[in-house]
Amino acid sequence: MAVKQPQVQRIDRSDVAGIIQAIIDDGCCVIKNFTSEETINDVNSEARPYIDADKPWKGDLFPPETRRCANLMGRSKTAREQWLVDPLVRALNAKFVDKTTSNFYGETKHTYTSEAICSIAMTFDVGPGAKAQRLHRDDKNFHMTHEDQASTGYRVGSDVMMAFMIPGVKTTVENGATIAIPGSHLWSSDRAPKSHEAVPALMDVTDCWVMLGGLYHAGGANMTSNERRTLHGMFFTRGFYRQEENTYLANSTEEVLSWSPEAQKAMGYELSSPNIGFVEFKTPLQHLRGADIGDAFGDFDPSQEQTKR
């Protein structure tokens, strides 16, 4: 008897309890009626000049047919003031990403909550011929080790990030809709994902894909000859996953460039492998030097590139 494959749940944004339960059960869902077509059109327009100016990626992180708009929240007022601050986004981050702890300060017990912050916001525009990504977990950047929760059920608070992906166009199997393995957020770090376990997350314009950082997923292959698949992404993580002192604002470019390479690295002006800390796909020091890297876009950590056969 064939095992029935779990499918992606589709739940209206008004059913917050249902969305939360779907994330607990499956690690993901499609939120219906998340936004309006007018808002989508505005964000598409605001991101388009940067997408058109982008260059092909030379590495394994993105297909070369993909173009991007980095710094989406700085470049799209609509995305920033509509989606970033959406009460539903805040509620889901509060449930799954925020961290609350209590500690004694002297003999007085204090409770602190670190609220989620947007770690990265970016538009992906995937053209015809783009191959599918390999299945992966986004929280690899935070060096997460996952315990097996398949028998115990999901423990809320065991993930450190979550993502929201809003389509700029209708996503289909043909144009490369995201594929995911519902329930894989429960797997231990020792279990490898298999492509036959993944199902597509089809979306209409106004939908939103939400997933935990521990869910295995990938961008699908764009098998069309003339369609581009546009997705606007917001990725949130815990607010304390950054340095306590904001030295980036405290020191001028000239001062930082005068430091030794060892000091620059120790103060966070290099990348944390594999992908934490870039500036418009440059390393921090390349950005500070005003370096023109030309077409040299590529994976920051070459070790994650797929072995060429």
Side-chain angles (χ1 to χ4, degrees):
M1 182 177 176
V3 177
K4 187 175 180 181
Q5 194 76 358
Q7 299 299 304
V8 173
Q9 296 189 58
R10 296 178 56 82
I11 304 172
D12 192 84
R13 72 165 290 150
S14 62
D15 185 3
V16 178
I19 293 169
I20 289 173
Q21 192 59 53
I23 296 171
I24 290 172
D25 293 341
D26 298 338
C28 62
C29 75
V30 170
I31 302 172
K32 297 189 299 182
N33 299 310
F34 174 78
T35 189
S36 69
E37 289 192 27
E38 180 183 8
T39 300
I40 289 288
N41 291 335
D42 287 345
V43 178
N44 285 349
S45 296
E46 290 164 352
R48 178 51 56 186
Y50 304 98
I51 291 170
D52 291 343
D54 196 28
K55 299 175 183 178
W57 189 264
K58 296 180 180 179
D60 199 55
L61 189 61
F62 302 108
E65 296 82 3
T66 297
R67 298 294 181 270
R68 296 147 295 269
C69 170
N71 185 25
L72 180 62
M73 293 308 154
R75 290 169 164 171
S76 170
K77 179 181 179 180
T78 307
R80 183 176 67 248
E81 302 302 335
Q82 295 292 325
W83 297 341
L84 184 66
V85 297
D86 189 296
L88 179 57
V89 171
R90 175 83 282 274
L92 295 178
N93 275 313
K95 178 68 176 180
F96 292 101
V97 182
D98 289 7
K99 181 72 171 180
T100 299
T101 55
S102 296
N103 291 276
F104 282 96
Y105 201 167
E107 296 184 5
T108 305
K109 196 171 189 179
H110 294 261
T111 298
Y112 311 95
T113 297
S114 178
E115 293 190 359
I117 57 172
C118 187
S119 175
I120 178 174
M122 184 183 303
T123 297
F124 307 88
D125 189 72
V126 185
K131 295 181 179 179
Q133 291 181 308
R134 285 179 287 165
L135 289 162
H136 61 280
R137 282 169 158 162
D138 279 347
D139 62 13
K140 67 183 184 299
N141 288 338
F142 299 103
H143 294 261
M144 278 291 293
T145 299
H146 288 268
E147 299 177 357
D148 186 359
Q149 300 183 65
S151 59
T152 61
Y154 182 67
R155 178 170 56 84
V156 173
S158 57
D159 274 85
V160 301
M161 66 166 294
M162 70 188 311
F164 300 80
M165 304 290 289
I166 302 107
V169 298
K170 181 182 178 69
T171 68
T172 65
V173 171
E174 291 74 25
N175 69 17
T178 298
I179 59 173
I181 306 178
S184 60
H185 65 308
L186 303 174
W187 296 0
S188 77
S189 294
D190 296 326
R191 180 173 173 179
K194 306 294 184 182
S195 58
H196 70 267
E197 299 173 293
V199 295
L202 307 179
M203 286 192 286
D204 295 318
V205 172
T206 74
D207 286 346
C208 174
W209 164 252
V210 59
M211 67 178 176
L212 295 171
L215 185 84
Y216 277 108
H217 70 287
N222 188 335
M223 299 175 285
T224 70
S225 60
N226 59 359
E227 292 184 36
R228 300 195 68 86
R229 177 173 54 88
T230 305
L231 282 173
H232 307 289
M234 303 184 295
F235 302 80
F236 292 82
T237 191
R238 288 179 172 165
F240 57 83
Y241 276 14
R242 53 180 169 170
Q243 286 161 289
E244 186 172 350
E245 182 181 16
N246 197 329
T247 59
Y248 311 115
L249 297 182
N251 298 285
S252 69
T253 296
E254 292 74 19
E255 289 171 323
V256 173
L257 291 178
S258 73
W259 299 351
S260 68
E262 293 80 9
Q264 291 168 339
K265 183 176 181 180
M267 289 304 297
Y269 288 88
E270 283 290 355
L271 299 180
S272 173
S273 178
N275 303 311
I276 293 291
F278 66 85
V279 185
E280 296 183 4
F281 305 111
K282 298 178 183 179
T283 69
L285 289 174
Q286 287 173 329
H287 174 75
L288 291 180
R289 293 179 184 130
D292 182 3
I293 61 175
D295 295 330
F297 283 121
D299 292 350
F300 299 116
D301 187 339
S303 68
Q304 65 186 355
E305 293 184 14
Q306 191 165 13
T307 303
K308 302 297 187 293
R309 297 175 185 268

